[in-house]
Amino acid sequence: MHRLLAATLTVAAAAALAVGAALGIVALLNATPDQPNRPLVHYESPERDR
């Protein structure tokens, strides 16, 4: 009986750890990067030069 209880608790703890890790990974992937929103290439337009 003790072995069955220990196995059940081990499986429950492993499942909780897996769910927590999965939620943490999803949260990291949904995080927006901290970078400026500037274009890498800028073309001059004639309207701005005047």
Side-chain angles (χ1 to χ4, degrees):
M1 187 65 172
H2 293 291
R3 287 187 181 185
L4 181 61
L5 180 61
T8 304
L9 290 177
T10 302
V11 168
L17 184 62
V19 169
L23 291 176
I25 290 172
V26 168
L28 284 176
L29 289 175
N30 284 336
T32 57
D34 294 333
Q35 63 183 7
N37 190 12
R38 296 184 196 141
L40 295 176
V41 178
H42 178 72
Y43 296 104
E44 297 294 327
S45 63
E47 295 84 27
R48 288 187 180 178
D49 294 339
R50 293 182 186 180

